[in-house]
Amino acid sequence: MMWRIDPGGDEPLYAQLVTQVRLAVAHGELRPGERLPAARELAASLDLNMHTVLRAYQLLRDDGVVELRRGRGAMVAARQPADLTAVERAIADLVDAARRAHLSTETTTTLVKEAMHR
Amino acid sequence: MMWRIDPGGDEPLYAQLVTQVRLAVAHGELRPGERLPAARELAASLDLNMHTVLRAYQLLRDDGVVELRRGRGAMVAARQPADLTAVERAIADLVDAARRAHLSTETTTTLVKEAMHR
DNA sequence: AGCTTGTTCTAGTAGTCGTAGAACAAATAT
DNA sequence: ATATTTGTTCTACGACTACTAGAACAAGCT
């Protein structure tokens, strides 16, 4: 749970938190059913407002990454992709090809997003 | 030059334009040296403000996609990735793997961005 | 009963987004 | 040379978002 939030970054604080939790879940650092820190608690430790943390949690809930219940807290959703080895290999290949083509990160992710949306 | 901008979208107008130009260049619809519409002209045809178009153009310039000179206009930068076939195949494989793993578009692009930044 | 935790509400400040108009400078066209 | 085109820079305004803050509330746990 060693997340870092950069208040001076170009990305909104809640979006940074969404990204970090998303990656932690995808990489298996947080497992299905595992409990996340309470919003007030995490807000205190990251020096954020509770509402900012809850906004991130609610976006992650809308995305099916976590489940939220009052009194109980936030936990990683039960249904998570099990096997990501094929995805990880595909990403490694893509990064390699993009590097060789001198493609920027922005253009690469734009192309991926376009391809996913079809 | 049939770009569409959605004023009601969640993404800022200038960002939508950046994406469309970026894709057009990456897909070879706009070739190096080719001239883009003048900011005032494109603004009129897309029903945007000139400043909004120029903001997109300037971001693309900062990214090395286009070159801007007053009096002359905007043109696609000389140096562009030549061969994207390997990238496109890698993206197709990635999309396939992500679909099979029931991975969301957001998580997939987050993972790609993370991998590119290393 | 008491505590924890997400939910919802109002509210205020700061910044971004988009529009608008104007003046200006470099490149081009006549 | 002169006029036109085009990006650059400046100020300005209304609308919206981001973030913080405090409070009251409801569901779950101890």
Side-chain angles (χ1 to χ4, degrees):
Chain A
M1 227 72 76
M2 274 315 190
W3 296 322
R4 271 180 285 106
I5 301 295
D6 175 16
D10 45 342
E11 199 177 16
L13 305 180
Y14 71 87
Q16 293 183 42
L17 187 50
V18 165
T19 297
Q20 307 233 355
V21 174
R22 199 189 291 280
L23 287 174
V25 172
H27 286 139
E29 297 157 18
L30 286 175
R31 299 189 175 185
E34 190 166 347
R35 197 171 173 283
L36 275 72
R40 294 170 225 261
E41 183 189 332
L42 184 56
S45 82
L46 292 179
D47 202 31
L48 299 177
N49 191 276
M50 173 190 66
H51 299 294
T52 304
V53 173
L54 276 175
R55 185 169 181 180
Y57 278 7
Q58 283 155 4
L59 285 172
L60 288 163
R61 176 193 53 192
D62 296 347
D63 233 61
V65 177
V66 304
E67 289 171 6
L68 300 181
R69 293 202 194 157
R70 47 185 154 189
R72 212 198 310 188
M75 56 174 50
V76 179
R79 307 225 171 276
Q80 292 298 326
D83 186 18
L84 287 190
T85 55
V87 172
E88 279 163 2
R89 184 174 55 242
I91 287 179
D93 287 351
L94 169 58
V95 170
D96 207 52
R99 288 265 149 75
R100 264 199 269 269
H102 299 100
L103 220 57
S104 71
T105 300
E106 290 71 26
T107 297
T108 305
T109 54
T110 299
L111 285 167
V112 169
K113 206 173 296 180
E114 185 206 25
M116 288 289 293
H117 282 306
R118 263 185 305 157
Chain B
M1 226 73 75
M2 273 316 188
W3 296 322
R4 271 180 284 106
I5 300 295
D6 176 17
D10 45 341
E11 200 178 18
L13 304 181
Y14 72 87
Q16 293 183 41
L17 186 52
V18 164
T19 297
Q20 307 233 353
V21 175
R22 200 190 290 280
L23 286 173
V25 172
H27 288 138
E29 297 157 18
L30 287 175
R31 299 191 175 184
E34 191 167 345
R35 195 172 174 284
L36 276 72
R40 295 170 224 261
E41 184 189 333
L42 184 56
S45 83
L46 292 179
D47 202 33
L48 299 177
N49 191 276
M50 172 191 66
H51 299 294
T52 303
V53 173
L54 275 175
R55 184 168 182 180
Y57 277 6
Q58 283 156 3
L59 285 171
L60 287 163
R61 176 193 55 193
D62 295 346
D63 232 62
V65 177
V66 304
E67 289 171 4
L68 301 181
R69 296 207 191 153
R70 48 185 154 187
R72 211 197 310 187
M75 56 172 51
V76 179
R79 308 226 172 277
Q80 293 297 327
D83 186 16
L84 288 190
T85 56
V87 172
E88 280 163 2
R89 184 175 55 244
I91 287 179
D93 288 349
L94 169 58
V95 170
D96 207 52
R99 288 265 150 76
R100 266 199 268 269
H102 298 102
L103 219 58
S104 71
T105 300
E106 290 70 28
T107 297
T108 305
T109 54
T110 299
L111 285 168
V112 170
K113 206 172 297 181
E114 185 205 27
M116 287 290 292
H117 282 309
R118 267 185 302 155

